[in-house]
Amino acid sequence: MRKNKPAREKERQTATRNRRELIEARLSRRALMKLGLLTSGGYLIAKNGLSARASGGDPQSPPTRPFIEPLPIVPVKQPVAGLTPDPTVAPNKAAGEARTRNHQALARFPPRKLYEVHQRAGLVSMSPDLPLQHIWGFDGITPGPTYIARYGEPILIRNFNDLPADNGGFGLNEVSTHQHNGHTPSESDGFPCDFFGPGRFYDQHYPNMLAGFDSTHPPNGDPNEALSTLWYHDHRVDFTSQNVYKGLAGTYLLFNDRDTGDETTGFRLPSGQFDVPLMVSDKVFDENGQLFFDLFNLDGILGDKFLVNGKIQPFFEVHPRRYRLRLLDGGPSRFYQFFLTDLNSPDTPLPFWQISNDGNLLPKPIQVTSVRISVAERADIIIDFSQFAGRSIVLENRLEQTDGRGPTGNLLPAGRGDRVLRFDAVLPPVADNSLHPAAITKFYDLPALEPPRVVRRFRFERNNGQWAINGKFFDCNDVRFRVQKNSAEHWVLQNNSGGWQHPIHVHFEEFQIVSRNGRPPQAVERSRKDVVRLGFNEEITVFSRFRDFVGPYPQHCHNTVHEDHAMMLRWDIEEIGDQRTEP
Ligand SMILES: [Cu+2]
C-alpha cells in the first residue's frame, strides 16, 4: 500500500540519516556485508529506520538555477624549482615517502620538471543556490590543477596526502593517484593497492615517452601511439567512488611536435584559451544542500545535478571561432550522449567534429551530431562558434538513464534532455589560425595488429549483489594472470550480467577493438582506446601490446561503484608470462 507523501518523506529522511551515520563510521560496503548489515541484494537489513531499499533513498537535490555562473577555467599547474629532499630511485621512507617499489626508469628518463601537489580539504561553491561544499581536492580545488606535459619531457610529481581525519560524511583519507591512460611505470601508475595515509608523500615519475621505446619502436617509441587527453584521479581500492566524487580528480594534457598546443604549427588545432577541458560529473545534494553520497547504492550513483569543471550548469562565453573542447565523463556512474541544441529550434541537428577517442586523436576528424561517453571516456570535439555568433547553444545529454544499471538505449527528444552547459557566442571576433577540421586528412595511423600470444576471456558478472570478473572479486594479492613483456594479447570481454552495462578500463597499454559482437569497429571506435562500453549482453575482443615496464596493473569496470564492489582484477607484466585463458 502506498503511504502518504509526508510519511514516506520522513521515512526517507530517517533512512538517509541513519545511513549517513554508518558512512561516517567509515565502514565500507564489504565491511557492512561481513557485519550482516547489508544483504547480498543490496538491501539494508530491516532494522529501525534502515528498512528503505538501500539504493532507493537518494535525496532529491534542492532546486538550483541554471546558467547563472561562468564555466570555471581550471588553473595550469606550475612546476617548482626543486624538491627537498631530492627524489630517489628507492623509496625515501626516512623522509616520509609511502612508495614501496623502486622507480624503474628515473635514471633513464630524469625529470625535467618537478611538481609538488597537496591533496587537502577545500571549501567551494558549486552553485550560489547551495551552501559551500566541503570537498577534497588536489591543491584543495576540484577539478584539480591541469598538468600541461610534453612528449620527451619527463616529469616527477611529489604527491602529498594532507587530507583530514574527519570525512564529513564520506570518503577515506588514504589515496593512490592514478594517471588515467598514462604509459606509466607500475610504481607510479596509482595502482589501487599502493594507497597511503595522511602526513606522507609519494613521488610519481611520468616519463612521457611514446609506447614501444624499449621494443617495437626503439629508442623513442611509436609516434602513432601519441596520447593527448589524459586525466588523473584517486584510485584507492574500495573507496575510489567516494574519493573521486568528493573531488580528487583533474586533467593531464600531453602535447608533441604535431599536436603542439600552438594553432599555427603541427595539426593546427585550436589552442591556448581556445582549448578547454570540460570535466562533466553528476552529483546529488541532501535536504540541507550538502553533497551526498549513498554508500548503500550498489547499482551505480546517478546525480540529478550536472556539473562542468565543478559548477552546476555553468555558462561559457565564447568568441565566434573554433574551439577544441575536451569532454570527460568524470562519473561516478552515468553514460552520456551529448548533442548541441539551439533551444529556439531544438529539432535542427547541429553538426560538429569529433577528433579523438579517449586520449587518442582519431585517424582523422569525423563530423558527428552527437558523442557518446561513459565513465572515464573522453572525446575531444571542435565546435565552430562563428556559425552561432550572437546566439546561445546548449550542450545537452539526451541519453535516458534511470538507474545505475546503464542507459535504457532511448534518446530523449531534443530540448528535453539534461542541459549541462550553455555556450554564449557573445564575445567579439578574434583571429582563428586553426585549420578547418575537414581540411585535416590525417592525424595518426592505427598501429598494425599482430597475432596474439594468448587469448584471454573475461566474464563481467553479478555475484551475490556485487560485481565480479570470472566469478572472483578484486584482491590486491591475487595476480590473476601474467602477461609476457613484449608480447601481444587478445582479451575477450563478455557482459554476463544481464541488464547491466559496464565501461571497462585497462591500465598502462591501450587497446584497439578487434570486434564488437563479431563485427569490426565502426566510425569513432576505429581508434586506440583505454575504456570500452560493454553494452547489454555484448562481447568485445580487444588487442594490446605490452611493453617497456613491468609490475602490477588493474583491469576494471569504471562505473566507480561497481569497481569498488569489486569488479576489478590485478594482472602483472613479467619477463615470462602465463597462458591462463580464463584467469
Ligand atoms: Cu560495471
Side-chain angles (χ1 to χ4, degrees):
M1 203 178 72
R2 271 188 83 174
K3 294 187 185 176
N4 64 40
K5 213 174 168 205
R8 285 178 64 201
E9 178 63 13
K10 189 154 192 314
E11 183 183 80
R12 189 185 63 73
Q13 285 184 9
T14 303
T16 299
R17 193 166 51 245
N18 289 343
R19 291 204 304 272
R20 182 179 284 270
E21 282 169 11
L22 287 172
I23 293 166
E24 281 170 357
R26 286 195 267 169
L27 295 167
S28 71
R29 283 185 289 262
R30 278 201 242 188
L32 289 167
M33 261 186 205
K34 280 191 187 143
L35 288 170
L37 283 169
L38 200 63
T39 71
S40 59
Y43 292 80
L44 281 166
I45 297 302
K47 103 178 216 193
N48 210 8
L50 284 173
S51 56
R53 177 162 201 269
S55 60
D58 286 346
Q60 238 180 15
S61 302
T64 55
R65 290 166 293 163
F67 314 131
I68 52 172
E69 284 203 306
L71 173 78
I73 301 298
V74 178
V76 172
K77 184 69 178 170
Q78 299 301 321
V80 294
L83 292 169
T84 309
D86 283 331
T88 49
V89 170
N92 192 345
K93 291 182 178 160
E97 187 172 10
R99 189 162 44 96
T100 59
R101 288 167 279 152
N102 284 4
H103 286 302
Q104 294 179 52
L106 189 67
R108 183 168 174 187
F109 305 116
R112 291 221 246 139
K113 283 183 180 160
L114 302 168
Y115 294 88
E116 181 176 324
V117 73
H118 292 262
Q119 301 187 49
R120 58 172 189 252
L123 200 57
V124 305
S125 171
M126 296 181 179
S127 160
D129 297 327
L130 295 174
L132 294 180
Q133 304 294 326
H134 296 271
I135 58 101
W136 287 354
F138 292 87
D139 290 343
I141 58 173
T142 185
T146 299
Y147 290 89
I148 305 283
R150 295 195 75 84
Y151 272 101
E153 191 174 272
I155 70 168
L156 183 138
I157 301 174
R158 182 156 293 172
N159 189 343
F160 288 86
N161 180 348
D162 297 338
L163 295 169
D166 178 6
N167 71 357
F170 62 92
L172 183 62
N173 62 348
E174 294 173 343
V175 292
S176 178
T177 305
H178 172 50
Q179 190 208 48
H180 185 114
N181 199 182
H183 194 71
T184 309
S186 167
E187 66 281 359
S188 291
D189 176 62
F191 184 68
C193 308
D194 285 338
F195 59 84
F196 62 103
R200 303 170 79 194
F201 71 87
Y202 198 118
D203 280 354
Q204 289 181 286
H205 176 228
Y206 300 135
N208 294 327
M209 287 294 295
L210 291 161
F213 64 82
D214 224 6
S215 54
T216 52
H217 295 75
N220 296 320
D222 183 357
N224 287 319
E225 296 197 46
L227 307 172
S228 52
T229 305
L230 290 69
W231 65 301
Y232 62 94
H233 61 79
D234 186 56
H235 212 319
R236 201 279 185 200
V237 60
D238 290 353
F239 288 87
T240 295
S241 57
Q242 298 178 50
N243 285 359
V244 176
Y245 189 83
K246 211 172 175 71
L248 292 173
T251 305
Y252 185 107
L253 306 182
L254 254 175
F255 293 97
N256 62 10
D257 59 0
R258 297 195 235 180
D259 184 3
T260 60
D262 174 348
E263 66 189 34
T264 66
T265 62
F267 294 139
R268 296 183 58 189
L269 296 170
S271 297
Q273 63 167 303
F274 309 109
D275 175 3
V276 184
L278 301 175
M279 184 184 293
V280 180
S281 53
D282 56 334
K283 296 186 187 296
V284 67
F285 298 83
D286 68 14
E287 66 272 21
N288 301 316
Q290 291 294 338
L291 189 58
F292 179 78
F293 183 93
D294 186 354
L295 184 62
F296 300 97
N297 181 337
L298 305 190
D299 294 356
I301 289 177
L302 297 185
D304 59 357
K305 296 294 174 188
F306 294 87
L307 291 83
V308 187
N309 292 353
K311 286 279 185 197
I312 293 174
Q313 292 176 290
F315 65 83
F316 184 24
E317 293 188 340
V318 294
H319 294 273
R321 55 153 286 163
R322 281 185 285 273
Y323 280 67
R324 176 185 191 170
L325 302 167
R326 305 184 190 236
L327 292 165
L328 158 67
D329 180 348
S333 302
R334 189 181 286 274
F335 297 66
Y336 294 93
Q337 188 164 350
F338 289 116
F339 292 76
L340 295 179
T341 305
D342 181 343
L343 294 173
N344 293 317
S345 56
D347 293 323
T348 309
L350 299 176
F352 53 98
W353 293 82
Q354 182 169 351
I355 61 167
S356 76
N357 195 334
D358 292 338
N360 313 297
L361 291 172
L362 296 167
K364 64 175 193 175
I366 296 180
Q367 195 173 35
V368 296
T369 53
S370 69
V371 291
R372 197 163 172 176
I373 51 176
S374 58
V375 185
E377 283 189 295
R378 288 86 71 213
D380 291 11
I381 61 174
I382 292 180
I383 301 177
D384 186 350
F385 290 105
S386 66
Q387 62 189 314
F388 305 129
R391 291 157 65 189
S392 291
I393 300 295
V394 170
L395 182 71
E396 184 185 30
N397 170 41
R398 289 172 48 194
L399 193 58
E400 181 185 64
Q401 185 168 358
T402 54
D403 59 32
R405 289 171 175 257
T408 61
N410 297 331
L411 274 186
L412 299 165
R416 305 272 291 280
D418 310 308
R419 299 170 188 184
V420 171
L421 171 65
R422 193 183 70 197
F423 299 105
D424 299 329
V426 296
L427 297 181
V430 288
D432 185 350
N433 293 304
S434 70
L435 275 186
H436 192 296
I440 301 173
T441 53
K442 189 166 99 172
F443 288 126
Y444 302 117
D445 289 322
L446 287 175
L449 307 185
E450 63 184 272
R453 192 185 74 91
V454 191
V455 179
R456 307 189 198 262
R457 299 186 67 85
F458 304 94
R459 292 186 316 275
F460 293 83
E461 51 203 8
R462 206 154 160 72
N463 188 330
N464 263 331
Q466 301 190 80
W467 303 99
I469 306 174
N470 287 349
K472 290 191 199 166
F473 299 128
F474 182 68
D475 178 338
C476 287
N477 299 313
D478 182 4
V479 184
R480 297 276 286 273
F481 57 101
R482 291 172 167 82
V483 170
Q484 188 157 311
K485 189 179 169 189
N486 298 326
S487 74
E489 302 201 354
H490 276 185
W491 292 3
V492 182
L493 314 173
Q494 187 192 3
N495 190 343
N496 207 30
S497 59
W500 301 81
Q501 298 195 21
H502 306 285
I504 305 302
H505 173 49
V506 181
H507 284 215
F508 182 56
E509 288 277 18
E510 301 186 290
F511 51 79
Q512 290 182 55
I513 298 173
V514 176
S515 65
R516 180 186 277 278
N517 305 319
R519 291 185 297 278
Q522 302 297 316
V524 298
E525 285 207 321
R526 285 195 61 252
S527 172
R528 294 168 286 133
K529 294 274 298 158
D530 62 72
V531 182
V532 66
R533 294 184 297 276
L534 194 53
F536 301 124
N537 304 310
E538 285 194 315
E539 182 176 290
I540 298 172
T541 300
V542 300
F543 166 93
S544 289
R545 288 182 185 83
F546 300 89
R547 298 156 294 184
D548 306 326
F549 302 117
V550 295
Y553 294 96
Q555 177 207 124
H556 60 91
C557 176
H558 222 300
N559 177 334
T560 53
V561 176
H562 296 182
E563 159 184 356
D564 283 345
H565 217 46
M567 192 175 254
M568 179 156 67
L569 56 73
R570 170 184 170 175
W571 53 278
D572 287 17
I573 302 182
E574 298 184 1
E575 297 299 334
I576 304 295
D578 67 27
Q579 300 275 356
R580 305 194 63 188
T581 55
E582 287 197 29

